[in-house]
């Protein structure tokens, strides 16, 4: 992977013990971990608000006619749950890539 010279220089300066490609993997891993924290926090907030887990809430929503605020919470909570799964998969993939570089 050819990097612009300025990016390669910065990578070497900020991650002196890593190759530029390894530095990029580390940065992506850090971002995925931050995103995972964000999504987990959102899911935890909804669990606290509704005093139930997502699957229980989902069944309740799908079997009723929720108000618009509750429906929006459902979509936001579902997004958080999807984000958690996506970030876990991304982190796993990046850790595997880290081993190879």
């Amino acid at each position: 992977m050819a990097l612009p010279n300025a990016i390669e220089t910065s990578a070497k300066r900020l991650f002196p013990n890593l190759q530029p490609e390894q530095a990029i993997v580390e940065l992506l891993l850090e971002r995925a971990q931050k995103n995972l924290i964000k999504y987990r926090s959102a899911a935890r907030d909804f669990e606290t608000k509704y005093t139930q887990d997502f699957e229980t809430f989902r069944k309740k929503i799908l079997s009723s006619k929720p108000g618009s605020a509750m429906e929006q919470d459902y979509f936001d909570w579902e997004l958080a749950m999807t984000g958690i799964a996506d970030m876990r998969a991304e982190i796993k993939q990046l850790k595997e890539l880290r081993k190879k570089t």
Side-chain angles (χ1 to χ4, degrees), residues 47-88:
E47 287 175 2
T48 300
K49 180 177 181 177
Y50 290 102
T51 62
Q52 56 194 300
D53 64 14
F54 176 70
E55 279 307 311
T56 303
F57 184 73
R58 181 181 175 278
K59 289 175 186 173
K60 179 180 172 184
I61 291 296
L62 294 177
S63 67
S64 66
K65 295 185 180 194
S68 61
M70 188 178 279
E71 186 176 42
Q72 185 60 54
D73 281 351
Y74 167 74
F75 289 124
D76 291 343
W77 198 349
E78 184 176 46
L79 177 67
M81 298 305 289
T82 301
I84 289 169
D86 289 348
M87 288 305 104
R88 284 180 176 160

Side-chain angles (χ1 to χ4, degrees), residues 34-53:
K34 285 180 183 180
N35 286 347
L36 179 59
I37 291 167
K38 177 183 74 170
Y39 290 129
R40 282 182 174 163
S41 178
R44 195 172 29 254
D45 290 346
F46 286 119
E47 287 175 2
T48 300
K49 180 177 181 177
Y50 290 102
T51 62
Q52 56 194 300
D53 64 14

